[in-house]
Amino acid sequence: MSECKAVFPGSFDPLTFGHIDIIKRAASMFEQIVVAVAASPSKHPMLSLEVRTSLAAKVLKDIKNVSVVSFDNLMIDFLREEGAHVLIRGLRSTADFQYELNLIHMYRTQLPNIEVVCLPTRLEYSFMSSTLVREIAIHHGPLTQYVPAEVAKAISDTLNSKK
Ligand code: ADP
């Protein structure tokens, strides 16, 4: 295969150390990684799409083969437009696996050539989720263990602006 382009999509609301670990590991496996930040309006994200996208770009800027884009269409259409060869997903639990497996079958009926690569989380990130981070943030708990400093700052700025 020529240059292999892999897409890692997600809401990244917010981007956590668990996501960053998956991105770094994927970047060592494939020539090009596109981190695709989903608008996800139905999830009513805490951080705006612009903030989520610019934070990811800032945090990941030193990884040469990683780029960050946002998208607001169907993921399958986005993958087609990007000409992606591989879809990356992270797995934390059997619940993630069951959820992903259902999606994988759906994606592949529409994009038969896409290969899905699921990377298991590292033990230290296995409990980490954006949902947990949002919950801690709302209750003013410490975020340093879960997200980079610039992400923690953006969360507190956003929550303060909503007061
Ligand atoms: P989505 O809106 O797709 O659920 P997320 O931002 O929650 O977006 O997750 C994006 C991807 O990152 C998913 O494949 C998810 O399983 C994976 N992921 C999230 N948190 C972790 C973690 N702590 N370790 C490994 N993978 C993770």
Side-chain angles (χ1 to χ4, degrees):
M1 192 187 287
S2 56
E3 280 262 297
C4 188
K5 187 186 223 183
V7 172
F8 181 49
S11 304
F12 307 114
D13 184 40
L15 182 76
T16 69
F17 289 129
H19 294 128
I20 296 168
D21 179 61
I22 296 289
I23 295 162
K24 286 183 174 162
R25 287 160 58 200
S28 70
M29 297 168 67
F30 302 103
E31 280 86 9
Q32 207 188 334
I33 306 293
V34 177
V35 174
V37 184
S40 304
S42 61
K43 292 187 174 176
H44 305 290
M46 170 180 68
L47 300 174
S48 71
L49 180 60
E50 293 69 27
V51 168
R52 285 179 280 137
T53 308
S54 70
L55 281 172
K58 205 181 283 181
V59 168
L60 302 167
K61 69 177 184 328
D62 292 333
I63 314 175
K64 293 285 167 272
N65 57 337
V66 172
S67 58
V68 178
V69 297
S70 57
F71 71 103
D72 61 4
N73 50 348
L74 261 186
M75 196 206 293
I76 212 80
D77 292 333
F78 175 79
L79 292 170
R80 199 178 284 119
E81 281 163 22
E82 282 287 316
H85 305 103
V86 171
L87 172 63
I88 307 279
R89 300 294 288 167
L91 292 181
R92 285 161 294 187
S93 60
T94 49
D96 271 357
F97 177 71
Q98 190 57 58
Y99 174 77
E100 295 297 340
L101 197 58
N102 292 339
L103 286 179
I104 288 167
H105 293 317
M106 194 273 290
Y107 299 143
R108 291 186 59 135
T109 55
Q110 299 194 42
L111 273 182
N113 293 329
I114 196 98
E115 204 48 81
V116 183
V117 172
C118 293
L119 296 177
T121 185
R122 282 189 205 282
L123 193 56
E124 61 264 45
Y125 304 126
S126 58
F127 65 94
M128 213 178 272
S129 70
S130 298
T131 308
L132 175 72
V133 172
R134 290 196 302 274
E135 202 60 37
I136 295 169
I138 288 166
H139 295 95
H140 311 289
L143 297 180
T144 46
Q145 276 175 277
Y146 313 110
V147 299
E150 47 272 75
V151 174
K153 177 165 188 322
I155 294 171
S156 92
D157 289 350
T158 300
L159 293 177
N160 286 334
S161 75
K162 285 180 183 164
K163 270 183 188 164

